[in-house]
Every structure is written in structure tokens, then in C-alpha cells.
Amino acid sequence: MILLRYNDFSTGGELILKFYDYPIISKEGSLPVFLVSVGLNEWQYHVICGNGDNYAKALYCTKGSGVLIMNGEKHIINPYTAFFIPAGCPHEYYSTDESWDTHWIKPSGKSCTDMLKALGFDKPKIFPLPKEEITYLDRCFRCMHEALLSDKVDGNFRASGYLYSFFIELSRLAAKGKGSVQIAPAVTKAIAYIDENYMKQPGLESISKAAGVSSQHLCRLFRQTLNCRPMEYITKRKIQAAKMLLAETRKTVEQIAEETGFCDSSYFCKIFKRFESITPSQFRNAEQAL
């Protein structure tokens, strides 16, 4: 580990000039995903990887500018830009400014490839970061470094937890940079109406009326925002309420089925198992065991 100066990004304090963390991988190597290295360069030196890196790498910058050459294509990297380089992908990058900061991390683990693919990081990627929304990303990055700095034995376990949060947030910000669908007011109104009336099994027409849009438009908004139709969302909401009652009360399955708006207990058990892959009784037993 090399640490020159440290900064609290949120307070505008003293800047980190450079640090590299290369934890010794031991027990955390059995984790599905773990951190291989994390670092920051206040002034990025020239990096050339003609055969690519052994690990995937995610980088983002907040000031200065540089050039990234990847797959033979040259890209100008401006402030508040992130880029992802898959393992084995030939690349080169260097600063074109007096100061080009790069924050970088490298993940690994037996489930790393699947995690990255699920989050949209299975190919080279360059995308802008919303300047006003990178606070949490910075926090995850900083916490990985602090975990390794404070605990030489088990710090990488905590750092690897922050690593997962980092990629979840990076994926969210990447979607925003591509103009992802925002939560429409109609969806918010529909969800509020469903929360109040799911036990009564409201129809699509009444939900659409409460949301102030047509049924067809509401279905389209739900698919875009929640990846399901309004009526499927109602069922999920009822299952959610049933799970809370199963875990926190002694009410019978029959009582819970009636209270959450299912027509009878057998239908409730059938739908519950379809969504949860276990029966309501099995869910309750598992919660009690915990």
C-alpha cells in the first residue's frame, strides 16, 4: 500500500495525491466476489496493456482529462466520466492535462464474471457520471481503502462488501448516463393507491384512474420502471405483506390469506410457492429458525 495524502471527498479537504492498495488475498479468496486492488492517481501516468489486464478494471475521474485507447479506438475522457475495461482487453490511457485523477478498482472471484455481466459490465464501456450524484460512489470507493488501511487481516472482507455496492451504484449511474427511464408521477400514484387497496384486489381501471393515465399507458410505465404489469405488482405486494405476517405473527395461513386479499388459502399457497419457491409454512419455519 502506498498512501501520500488523504482527502474527505465530501468536505473538499486535502487531496490524496496517490495510493495503491494490493491486499494479500487469503480467506476472502473463497468469497463469490472480492477486491484485488483499489487505487487513486492524482496525476495519471501512461498505462499500456497490450495484452490486457488479468482482471477487469473500473475507473472514473473527477477532474482533468485524458485519452483512452481501447480495441484500437481513441476516446477523450473528460471530468466525471467512468470507463470499464474487461479482463484481457488491450488498452492504453494517459493524461492530456496537468492533472487527470483516476480512481480504479479491480474485482475477482468465482462469481465476478456473472456479477459484472448482470450489471451490464461484460463489454468495454465509457459513460458520463452525473456530477451531483457521485457522492455514494465516492463513499464506497473511500470505504474500500479505509477498510484495508484499518485492518490488515480482515479488512478485505469489509472492502469486498463495499466493492459490490460500488458496482451496483456504478451500474445505476451508467443507466442514468444513457438516459434511463425516470419514475413517472403516474407510477408513484399507482403504487400509493395499490399500497392502500391491495387487500381488495383493485382492478386495472381503478388503478389507472388513481394514477391519472390510461390503462394501456400505465401498463407501459410499469414495464419500463418495474419490469412487470400493475396486476403482477399487486400480487407481489400481497406476497410481501404475507411474508411480514408469517414472520412476525402467529396468525394461521388461512387468516393471512384472507387478510392479504387472496380468495382462499390453497390459492394463496400456490401463488406464494410460485413466487418464493417454498410454501408459506416453510417460509415461516425458516424465519423462526433465524
Side-chain angles (χ1 to χ4, degrees):
M1 178 186 300
I2 302 173
L3 173 63
L4 296 185
R5 282 195 288 158
Y6 187 76
N7 169 59
D8 183 341
F9 293 97
S10 63
T11 61
E14 190 179 19
L15 292 174
I16 298 176
L17 294 180
K18 183 184 295 184
F19 74 74
Y20 312 138
D21 295 329
Y22 297 101
I24 297 173
I25 307 302
S26 55
K27 294 179 292 183
E28 67 272 22
S30 62
L31 295 175
V33 180
F34 60 88
L35 180 67
V36 172
S37 63
V38 57
L40 183 150
N41 285 300
E42 176 79 4
W43 184 83
Q44 178 59 56
Y45 58 89
H46 197 150
V47 172
I48 302 176
C49 286
N51 296 317
D53 202 319
N54 291 330
Y55 303 99
K57 181 161 55 175
L59 304 94
Y60 70 98
C61 64
T62 61
K63 62 181 180 180
S65 61
V67 168
L68 167 67
I69 302 173
M70 191 161 50
N71 289 332
E73 297 182 1
K74 183 180 289 189
H75 308 271
I76 301 298
I77 306 298
N78 292 313
Y80 296 98
T81 301
F83 51 101
F84 174 76
I85 306 173
C89 176
H91 62 275
E92 176 182 355
Y93 53 91
Y94 54 88
S95 174
T96 57
D97 207 334
E98 290 184 1
S99 175
W100 182 40
D101 70 339
T102 54
H103 308 66
W104 52 268
I105 64 169
K106 295 182 183 181
S108 188
K110 59 185 178 182
S111 299
C112 184
T113 300
D114 291 338
M115 178 200 75
L116 293 173
K117 184 177 181 179
L119 294 174
F121 296 110
D122 54 336
K123 298 177 182 179
K125 201 168 195 173
I126 304 170
F127 52 93
L129 296 173
K131 181 178 179 181
E132 67 282 359
E133 292 191 39
I134 70 162
T135 302
Y136 184 67
L137 190 74
D138 267 337
R139 180 186 173 192
C140 292
F141 178 85
R142 183 170 66 249
C143 285
M144 283 186 273
H145 170 60
E146 291 175 345
L148 296 173
L149 195 64
S150 63
D151 188 342
K152 301 297 190 298
V153 178
D154 293 322
N156 203 15
F157 276 92
R158 288 190 290 117
S160 297
Y162 292 122
L163 168 70
Y164 184 67
S165 297
F166 177 92
F167 271 104
I168 290 285
E169 181 66 1
L170 193 65
S171 176
R172 186 186 74 85
L173 295 177
K176 281 220 163 200
K178 289 163 54 178
S180 64
V181 177
Q182 303 297 309
I183 299 177
V187 173
T188 303
K189 292 177 182 178
I191 289 174
Y193 181 80
I194 290 171
D195 282 342
E196 293 180 6
N197 298 280
Y198 67 88
M199 305 83 67
K200 305 172 186 176
Q201 190 62 35
L204 181 58
E205 186 175 344
S206 64
I207 300 171
S208 302
K209 185 177 179 180
V213 295
S214 68
S215 298
Q216 184 179 11
H217 186 54
L218 185 65
C219 288
R220 184 161 53 249
L221 290 175
F222 261 70
R223 284 197 300 270
Q224 291 173 344
T225 309
L226 300 168
N227 197 33
C228 67
R229 293 177 177 273
M231 305 314 292
E232 181 183 353
Y233 181 84
I234 291 175
T235 302
K236 290 181 176 181
R237 179 65 182 87
K238 290 161 73 173
I239 293 293
Q240 179 191 44
K243 288 166 72 175
M244 293 180 65
L245 291 172
L246 287 165
E248 299 176 5
T249 74
R250 295 184 178 181
K251 294 180 179 181
T252 65
V253 170
E254 289 76 13
Q255 289 173 320
I256 292 173
E258 182 178 357
E259 191 169 327
T260 52
F262 288 94
C263 57
D264 58 59
S265 59
S266 60
Y267 179 69
F268 166 56
C269 291
K270 178 182 177 181
I271 297 300
F272 190 98
K273 188 170 184 179
R274 179 190 301 171
F275 279 88
E276 301 296 322
S277 300
I278 56 175
T279 67
S281 296
Q282 289 171 331
F283 175 84
R284 169 171 273 171
N285 292 337
E287 288 296 308
Q288 289 176 347
L290 291 175

